[in-house]
Amino acid sequence: MGIAMKSKLLAIISFVVFGFSTQLMAHGGATGVVKERMEQMSDMKNALKILSDMFRGKSDYDVQQVRTQAKIINNHAGDALTQFFPEGSLTAPSEANGKIWQQWADFSALAVQLKSASGSLGEAAGQRAVAAPEVFLTMSMQAAPAKAVAPSADSYFKTLTKTCSACHTKYRNE
Amino acid sequence: MSDFNKQASSLKLIFGWRVGAFLKLLSLIVILIATLLYYLSMNPSMSHRSDSVIAIQPQGDVANGAYLARISGCIACHTDTKNPSGLVSGAPLKSSFGVFYAPNLSADKEWGIGNWSLADFSTAVREGVSPTGEHYYPAFPYEFFSNFSDQDIRDLWAAFQSVPANAKRAQSSEIDFPYNLKFSLPLWKRLYQLDNSVNTDQLQLQRGQFLVEVAGHCAACHTPRNILGALQQDQWLQGVIANEGGAPPITKEALLLNGWDSADLAYAFKTGIKPDGDVFGAKMQEIIEQGTQFMSEADRLAMADYLLEIE
């Protein structure tokens, strides 16, 4: 084997070994669209942590920070989210569920709802709810607030997180 | 076929039987032998109905009953959100034993519980026996509800009586053989009676214990079951693997290892948001949406404190 041939072989081995190791570091070996959407979800999770810490009073409420984090989620929502879900992209370590493509219209609608809720949260960031709505418990599934609650950053944040959980419940393997 | 594949195939077969069929046959044999032994040893005068009688007074508190019904999952389990109508029938509850449908709990006299007495209700909820003497499957978590106090039962009964009658027959459960052999249920209940008592003199932990171990029946999902569906009490709250239902461990050690503190847990019970910003999906989100979000803040904290305190 000539020197050039050995160098080429070494380069290939290095690429395979180190390239593969680097990919393993990011999201447990995810590649391609799976890696991109896992990074996207990670970005949104980090934004939601900053938001939830403010809404629960663990950190100071900062209107500008709410807008910034809402914008991060907004940029990843709608088509920006669904573009990373080509049909059948379930390669490990993806946590996505195959129902996504059986119920694509619903999945897409949730992505649009995420866009809308995060947009509304950014716009209403300066309007905090005065108090949590009082809820009457009855013996039916309907547990409506005692009176209509004016939209606020708090109510949009709740809508936003309910959208996340609705999507995770249907389309993420827990 | 490679050696590996041959080994894998041989693991799926025991004496030529597929493992699933083998386990079912084994379950049937165990059930039949145990039932036979039970009936042979049973006192002939023993009744399947409890003789305990609940006092009608004092009156039940409808508001507290509605609160208990909410946080205990009565309303969630007996309502199908895709076809919501007052406590008429639940959504299908799929399990490895078959599909369960929670029955009509409206005040209808034919299909609901309109003809029941307070004592009937108490026996059904705390002992898992219907007014006609039929034993319920433990998909109805009466093994946890046995620790409801008399006053809890009176409150729940008062609340259930406020549910309008709805004359609709709930879908019958579709239980696989041999689990559909209901005559073995009294023995099952005797063999696997829960002993989940924790002695604590701290009021906060007592309330947490009631919420976690009785009303909330957290162990029903977070504790593994044996092949007969009984909770493995030596693995209490230690989690269930994905292909058997999938629920993470919620022991003190597991929660602390994953960085949870009491405030985080209470906040997650209210919102579904985890400390790292992730949001629950799957079954836990339903529990939060239909149950724990309606708890008082004090109750959510009591649950969290109990989970993080009890060894």
Side-chain angles (χ1 to χ4, degrees):
Chain A
M1 192 184 286
I3 293 173
M5 190 71 174
K6 279 184 181 171
S7 303
K8 202 172 174 182
L9 191 61
L10 196 64
I12 291 170
I13 291 171
S14 304
F15 175 78
V16 169
V17 172
F18 292 106
F20 188 63
S21 305
T22 310
Q23 285 174 352
L24 270 180
M25 301 274 285
H27 295 287
T31 55
V33 286
V34 171
K35 177 170 179 277
E36 294 201 59
R37 72 187 186 217
M38 288 183 89
E39 286 175 352
Q40 184 186 53
M41 293 293 166
S42 191
D43 279 354
M44 290 198 281
K45 183 174 81 170
N46 293 337
L48 202 68
K49 175 178 170 44
I50 296 169
L51 288 167
S52 68
D53 281 352
M54 287 190 281
F55 279 100
R56 66 186 276 198
K58 198 172 177 180
S59 60
D60 291 340
Y61 190 87
D62 177 341
V63 173
Q64 194 48 51
Q65 181 69 287
V66 172
R67 288 191 179 125
T68 302
Q69 301 308 321
K71 186 66 183 163
I72 289 172
I73 296 172
N74 192 259
N75 287 342
H76 284 313
D79 292 342
L81 189 151
T82 53
Q83 67 168 329
F84 292 128
F85 286 86
E87 185 157 7
S89 55
L90 292 171
T91 318
S94 170
E95 295 171 325
N97 186 311
K99 284 183 193 164
I100 288 172
W101 298 285
Q102 292 164 15
Q103 299 169 23
W104 182 256
D106 181 60
F107 179 71
S108 305
L110 285 167
V112 170
Q113 195 175 309
L114 185 66
K115 184 107 185 153
S116 158
S118 53
S120 299
L121 173 61
E123 287 167 19
Q127 302 159 33
R128 295 301 307 274
V130 178
E134 187 187 348
V135 172
F136 282 136
L137 287 187
T138 64
M139 289 297 283
S140 83
M141 289 299 288
Q142 288 77 38
K147 56 183 178 182
V149 181
S152 63
D154 301 72
S155 66
Y156 288 125
F157 180 63
K158 189 170 182 183
T159 306
L160 172 67
T161 58
K162 280 174 81 91
T163 307
C164 298
S165 66
C167 201
H168 292 174
T169 297
K170 291 179 183 172
Y171 303 118
R172 183 173 79 173
N173 295 322
E174 294 283 305
Chain B
M1 188 186 284
S2 69
D3 286 349
F4 177 80
N5 285 341
K6 281 179 185 169
Q7 284 176 2
S9 295
S10 66
L11 282 173
K12 291 179 184 172
L13 296 169
I14 298 174
F15 307 121
W17 289 71
R18 289 189 67 80
V19 170
F22 178 77
L23 286 177
K24 281 194 174 183
L25 181 68
L26 187 66
S27 307
L28 177 62
I29 293 169
V30 170
I31 289 170
L32 288 174
I33 292 175
T35 306
L36 185 65
L37 289 172
Y38 173 70
Y39 282 110
L40 286 175
S41 64
M42 200 172 102
N43 180 340
S45 65
M46 184 179 159
S47 165
H48 49 252
R49 287 292 302 276
S50 161
D51 289 333
S52 63
V53 175
I54 185 167
I56 294 173
Q57 295 295 334
Q59 285 290 316
D61 177 340
V62 175
N64 189 50
Y67 183 76
L68 286 176
R70 174 79 55 174
I71 68 173
S72 304
C74 309
I75 296 171
C77 209
H78 288 264
T79 303
D80 185 350
T81 48
K82 288 182 182 164
N83 185 21
S85 49
L87 294 167
V88 171
S89 177
L93 177 63
K94 293 173 186 165
S95 76
S96 51
F97 309 102
V99 183
F100 295 92
Y101 293 90
N104 185 333
L105 293 187
S106 79
D108 185 68
K109 290 186 186 301
E110 185 174 6
W111 302 115
I113 58 174
N115 266 336
W116 288 23
S117 67
L118 171 61
D120 289 336
F121 182 75
S122 170
T123 307
V125 173
R126 294 195 285 197
E127 297 172 37
V129 182
S130 79
T132 57
E134 183 189 1
H135 288 265
Y136 297 124
Y137 284 105
F140 171 31
Y142 49 79
E143 39 183 348
F144 298 89
F145 296 163
S146 63
N147 284 322
F148 272 135
S149 70
D150 284 357
Q151 190 56 47
D152 294 333
I153 294 293
R154 280 189 286 265
D155 293 351
L156 279 163
W157 180 235
F160 273 103
Q161 286 186 299
S162 73
V163 179
N166 192 328
K168 186 182 170 192
R169 183 178 192 172
Q171 189 164 344
S172 299
S173 295
E174 297 148 6
I175 314 301
D176 300 336
F177 178 81
Y179 312 110
N180 57 351
L181 302 174
K182 291 193 88 173
F183 61 81
S184 58
L185 274 172
L187 173 72
W188 187 98
K189 289 161 82 170
R190 179 178 278 201
L191 282 177
Y192 299 120
Q193 194 167 18
L194 292 186
D195 177 19
N196 55 355
S197 55
V198 176
N199 293 319
T200 172
D201 54 3
Q202 293 181 49
L203 286 178
Q204 175 78 346
L205 295 185
Q206 284 173 3
R207 181 64 182 168
Q209 180 187 17
F210 171 77
L211 295 165
V212 169
E213 311 285 13
V214 183
H217 58 280
C218 305
C221 290
H222 289 276
T223 296
R225 294 176 183 270
N226 66 19
I227 61 165
L228 293 179
L231 291 163
Q232 299 186 44
Q233 297 186 54
D234 57 340
Q235 296 174 54
W236 202 247
L237 303 180
Q238 289 180 19
V240 176
I241 57 174
N243 63 0
E244 290 176 9
I250 53 167
T251 57
K252 175 183 177 180
E253 295 74 23
L255 291 170
L256 291 175
L257 192 67
N258 288 311
W260 288 89
D261 65 23
S262 193
D264 288 339
L265 274 173
Y267 184 71
F269 292 147
K270 181 181 179 183
T271 62
I273 304 172
K274 302 180 193 177
D276 65 355
D278 190 15
V279 182
F280 278 115
K283 286 177 283 188
M284 191 59 205
Q285 187 54 36
E286 289 178 32
I287 301 291
I288 292 164
E289 199 154 302
Q290 298 171 11
T292 57
Q293 70 154 322
F294 297 109
M295 282 181 168
S296 67
E297 189 60 24
D299 274 355
R300 283 192 287 262
L301 276 168
M303 271 182 91
D305 286 347
Y306 176 79
L307 286 168
L308 288 168
E309 283 291 330
I310 296 303
E311 296 290 347

